[in-house]
Amino acid sequence: WVPVISVMMGAGFAGPTNYAGMSDLVVMVRGIATMGLAGPALVKAGVGEDVEQMAIGGAEAQVDRNGLADLGAANEDEALQAVRRFLSYLPGNARAAMPVAVSDDPSDRRDDALLDLVPANPRKAYDMRKVIALIADRASTFEIKPTYAGNVLTILARLGGRPVGFVANQPQKLGGMLDANACDKMAHFIALCDAYGLPLVSLIDIPGFSIGSSAERTVLGRRSAKLIHEWGNATVPRISIVLRKGYGLGYFAMAGGRAFAADASLAWPTAQICAMSVEGSVDVAFRKEYEAAPDPQARRQQMIDEIRG
């Protein structure tokens, strides 16, 4: 009903961690704050493990590695400034009017830098943060969990002064692929935006989901289902934009196309939308054919080029 924020400025093991875990935003002061279900003394007494409190519960563990907290601040002033900035995007309660800001950034402006920022070659990486910074009102972005699950981005910003939530693949990390941590990060952000009425903009450049035994050990099937559940239950406006790759179930999980009755579904000239990567489809459907050719790799590449063309 109302935004709930926890700022960890000191010892926060046990109860305070559970309370913070229910918050919309958790900020930790680096080098001072701790979080976790038990501190070093209780861990030693209970299971005989010797741990150092910052190693088990400091910001490096709980912000950067585990994602329990959303932001790590250098000091208390920076932590409180982050809280003020976060609240500036949200209404006072779930049914209050949006806090629309005055914007001197023309809504119809063009930015030619976008023409070169996203390379047509799907194998080349680029920084999706720069894309969002150019699309949104200037200097209006505020990233949630910037140091956790870096293969996706969750960013509050403004368009024409109105708060919105951007979710996006980040090609610089794992090619923007979705793994379990990325799904958790996005699901929480989508639920936050939906609770307070912020429209969602999905910027898609995804090769697919993480696969293999290591992915299955993270129970990715359940955690990706949570992401899909949040998309399906969101009631705010949803817009999807395919910048480059929109492949398979990953495309679906990024709210691509009409999968979740998006209010708008758009594609850049560089977009490729298909059930799986072109390379993967050739290997699945035509492996026997190209392996029987005099030059298998040349024939495989020819098939890939034909499909892309």
Side-chain angles (χ1 to χ4, degrees), residues 122-206:
R123 294 183 178 277
K124 288 188 176 180
Y126 62 94
D127 189 354
M128 186 69 83
R129 286 189 181 91
K130 294 181 179 179
V131 175
I132 295 173
L134 291 174
I135 293 174
D137 293 353
R138 291 190 179 94
S140 73
T141 60
F142 181 80
E143 187 168 355
I144 308 296
K145 293 187 184 297
T147 59
Y148 176 73
N151 38 325
V152 295
L153 304 177
T154 49
I155 295 178
L156 296 172
R158 289 187 173 84
L159 291 173
R162 180 187 176 89
V164 300
F166 281 96
V167 295
N169 305 107
Q170 171 59 296
Q172 286 188 329
K173 180 73 178 292
L174 301 177
M177 177 180 65
L178 292 184
D179 58 9
N181 290 342
C183 290
D184 283 345
K185 174 178 172 177
M186 288 177 56
H188 183 271
F189 184 76
I190 291 166
L192 169 74
C193 292
D194 185 53
Y196 299 110
L198 276 66
L200 287 158
V201 180
S202 177
L203 299 181
I204 302 171
D205 190 346
I206 182 168

Side-chain angles (χ1 to χ4, degrees), residues 1 91-98 196:
W1 177 245
N93 64 66
R95 293 187 180 175
M98 284 287 108
Y196 299 110

Side-chain angles (χ1 to χ4, degrees), residues 19 33 39 44 73 77 80 86 101 124 173 228 231 262 266 272 286 300:
Y19 307 145
K44 177 65 175 177
D77 288 341
L80 294 175
F86 177 75
K124 288 188 176 180
K173 180 73 178 292
I228 292 170
W231 276 123
L266 310 172
Q272 299 176 8
F286 302 109
R300 177 179 181 270

Side-chain angles (χ1 to χ4, degrees), residues 60-83:
E60 183 176 342
Q62 303 293 27
V63 177
D64 306 331
R65 186 170 67 244
N66 301 333
L68 175 60
D70 300 294
L71 297 172
N75 51 55
E76 293 178 356
D77 288 341
E78 186 177 296
L80 294 175
Q81 181 58 38
V83 171

Side-chain angles (χ1 to χ4, degrees), residues 241-263:
I241 306 171
V242 185
L243 277 66
R244 202 166 54 172
K245 298 185 293 291
Y247 294 165
L249 181 60
Y251 175 62
F252 178 83
M254 291 297 296
R258 298 299 181 187
F260 296 101
D263 296 271

